[in-house]
Amino acid sequence: MAWRGLAQRGWGCGQAWAPPAGGRSCEELTAALGQPRLLGRRFNVFIQQKCGFRKAPRKVEPRRSDTGTSSEAYKRSALIPPVEETAFYPSPYPIRTLVKPLFFTVGFTGCAFGSAAIWQYESLKSRVQSYFDGIKADWLDSIRPQKEGDFRKEINKWWNNLSDGQRTVTGIIAANVFVFCLWRVPSLQRTMIRYFTSSPASKVLCSPMLLSTFSHFSLFHMAANMYVLWSFSSSIVNILGQEQFMAVYLSAGVISNFVSYVCKVATGRYGPSLGASGAIMTVLAAVCTKIPEGRLAIIFLPMFTFTAGNALKAIIAVDTAGMILGWKFFDHAAHLGGALFGM
């Protein structure tokens, strides 16, 4: 009975099937053959196969990475915000997603060092002018009545007592604190996730490579990074100069994120990353390479000291192991990329 219903409805007969010239149509064949006859245990003819069936279109499912199917796949570290899986769209051709970040990394790094060279030239000119202006200012201060208890004067005194490196990183720390406060605004969560977390599965690939360097979701994460940056600021600025330091720091954030992109595409783990750790690893590695015999200590264990060279070797070993073994609490690929760039 089921076969009869199929034959009477003429499934598969349509514009896609055309009978040969002088032949019979599908309906004529069905009417001529009439009811199917059994010869032994087999049907003598199958009209359905003669007329041809159209296959139903296959449903194309989006490619899934090995990070899992639930939003819990992106909640592997307390240092990153709770991100829904729908915020990221892994590409079916993951290697192609690295093309734009690669060009952005090369272009941004070149522009950063080119701008630093121009800034350095202009600073040299201004220093010569400021020398003569300083002589004039000292003479005016000597004849001008001094104000006691002036708050602005106290701020200027504190600022002038800072080293060049500390004055340079003060702006970086202020930018990180400002972005940290933006994370606390609920209406900005979607914007912060899109532009201030970096992932090769995000719709926005290039700008987060720089903006995520100033982004921290955890207060402890930000405090630890800014403390290390403040501690090494004087040494790195004395080595590179203020202008070259800014170029190195900004380029390090982009380069470390690109290394993270490559590792995520290779492993299929597309979780988001944020923080200044990659850029700070560049500062740390540069100082430890230039001053390998310098003595360092851990903030909570100041009684234990070690050389800067040994500290750098230990950090590289830990990050290499974490990248190979797939540890997910830190972005070890970004740390390792930043350290290699600093060296």
Side-chain angles (χ1 to χ4, degrees):
M1 296 297 293
W3 184 92
R4 183 190 307 170
L6 293 176
Q8 290 175 354
R9 285 192 296 268
W11 281 24
C13 300
Q15 296 179 357
W17 180 85
R24 295 184 177 182
S25 66
C26 187
E27 289 80 359
E28 293 174 348
L29 285 174
T30 304
L33 292 173
Q35 299 295 330
R37 299 185 299 275
L38 287 174
L39 297 177
R41 298 181 181 178
R42 299 178 60 188
F43 287 106
N44 64 335
V45 66
F46 289 93
I47 300 299
Q48 295 91 338
Q49 294 182 7
K50 296 281 186 179
C51 297
F53 284 97
R54 291 180 181 178
K55 292 184 178 180
R58 292 182 72 180
K59 214 171 184 180
V60 180
E61 296 183 357
R63 176 178 173 176
R64 297 179 179 178
S65 62
D66 62 356
T67 54
T69 58
S70 67
S71 62
E72 296 297 327
Y74 296 101
K75 301 180 183 178
R76 294 176 178 169
S77 173
L79 306 181
I80 63 175
V83 181
E84 297 182 359
E85 187 183 10
T86 54
F88 299 97
Y89 306 87
S91 171
Y93 307 101
I95 300 299
R96 297 182 184 178
T97 61
L98 298 176
V99 176
K100 288 177 63 177
L102 175 61
F103 282 104
F104 177 77
T105 302
V106 175
F108 181 84
T109 302
C111 292
F113 281 97
S115 302
I118 298 174
W119 182 15
Q120 199 166 15
Y121 172 74
E122 295 296 332
S123 297
L124 183 61
K125 289 173 57 179
S126 64
R127 286 173 190 171
V128 176
Q129 183 65 32
S130 63
Y131 173 76
F132 296 102
D133 293 340
I135 297 176
K136 182 180 179 180
D138 292 340
W139 178 75
L140 291 175
D141 289 340
S142 63
I143 63 175
R144 182 183 302 163
Q146 301 295 322
K147 295 182 180 180
E148 298 294 338
D150 191 0
F151 178 74
R152 182 178 178 182
K153 181 180 177 181
E154 295 298 325
I155 295 297
N156 290 335
K157 182 179 179 181
W158 169 81
W159 178 259
N160 293 328
N161 288 333
L162 297 177
S163 65
D164 291 339
Q166 291 172 339
R167 285 197 293 265
T168 302
V169 302
T170 299
I172 298 177
I173 295 175
N176 281 269
V177 173
F178 177 72
V179 175
F180 174 78
C181 294
L182 293 180
W183 276 108
R184 312 272 81 81
V185 181
S187 60
L188 296 178
Q189 291 294 306
R190 185 176 296 273
T191 301
M192 299 300 293
I193 291 173
R194 172 171 292 187
Y195 293 102
F196 288 86
T197 61
S198 61
S199 171
S202 175
K203 286 186 175 181
V204 184
L205 293 174
C206 297
S207 57
M209 298 174 69
L210 176 63
L211 297 178
S212 63
T213 307
F214 299 90
S215 176
H216 296 83
F217 183 77
S218 167
L219 177 61
F220 175 78
H221 187 202
M222 182 187 68
N225 281 343
M226 295 303 102
Y227 175 80
V228 175
L229 179 61
W230 181 269
S231 301
F232 285 87
S233 60
S234 299
S235 300
I236 190 64
V237 171
N238 289 336
I239 294 171
L240 299 176
Q242 182 182 15
E243 301 83 7
Q244 294 294 328
F245 162 72
M246 289 301 300
V248 168
Y249 184 85
L250 296 177
S251 300
V254 175
I255 290 174
S256 60
N257 272 305
F258 178 73
V259 175
S260 175
Y261 277 12
V262 174
C263 182
K264 289 175 182 178
V265 168
T267 59
R269 301 186 182 98
Y270 295 99
S273 300
L274 73 167
S277 302
I280 293 175
M281 281 297 300
T282 297
V283 174
L284 179 65
V287 173
C288 292
T289 303
K290 294 291 290 185
I291 316 174
E293 299 302 325
R295 305 298 297 182
L296 302 179
I298 302 176
I299 179 175
F300 299 111
L301 301 172
M303 68 289 298
F304 298 103
T305 61
F306 40 84
T307 63
N310 291 335
L312 181 60
K313 294 175 184 176
I315 291 173
I316 291 178
V318 171
D319 284 326
T320 302
M323 186 177 64
I324 295 175
L325 299 178
W327 298 344
K328 301 177 180 64
F329 192 76
F330 294 110
D331 192 343
H332 295 280
H335 290 185
L336 190 60
L340 295 177
F341 177 61
M343 294 171 60

